[in-house]
Amino acid sequence: MSALLVLVTALASEPALAGVEQGDEYICRNGEMERRIQVIYPQGAPLPCEVHYVKGSDSKVLWRAQNEAGYCEAKAQEFAAKQKTLYFPCEKNQ
């Protein structure tokens, strides 16, 4: 998918994202390369939640939770710790 198509798609769906909130975010770097691990609350509340992994212009949902509070935050933290073993140490974005 081209970067232009991703941008157009994101802009077209922006009104639907009005209730979306972002929770924890980890920024992982190796030189100039960057990865992001983000906890997203699609409905603006702690549940449901999703863990997104952003690498360049690609974004994937790694985990989702409907009923277990804290699940996404724990998975994001574990995945951020794993990135260090892959030479992408992470810092929690404040």
Side-chain angles (χ1 to χ4, degrees), residues 32-76:
E32 296 297 316
M33 296 182 289
E34 181 178 283
R35 312 285 191 260
R36 290 180 181 263
I37 302 163
Q38 302 168 325
V39 176
I40 305 292
Y41 307 111
Q43 297 177 6
L47 288 172
C49 64
E50 300 174 346
V51 178
H52 290 238
Y53 179 58
V54 182
K55 179 179 174 183
S57 63
D58 292 333
S59 178
K60 296 180 182 179
V61 176
L62 300 179
W63 295 278
R64 289 185 170 95
Q66 297 289 328
N67 302 313
E68 188 177 339
Y71 177 83
C72 290
E73 295 80 2
K75 292 306 251 181

Side-chain angles (χ1 to χ4, degrees), residues 26 28 37 75-86 88-90:
Y26 296 88
C28 313
I37 302 163
K75 292 306 251 181
Q77 184 177 22
E78 290 171 18
F79 193 62
K82 181 180 179 182
Q83 294 305 299
K84 184 176 181 179
T85 66
L86 302 172
F88 276 89
C90 301

Side-chain angles (χ1 to χ4, degrees), residues 19-32:
V20 173
E21 288 189 28
Q22 183 172 320
D24 294 346
E25 178 180 48
Y26 296 88
I27 300 172
C28 313
R29 292 187 176 98
N30 181 337
E32 296 297 316

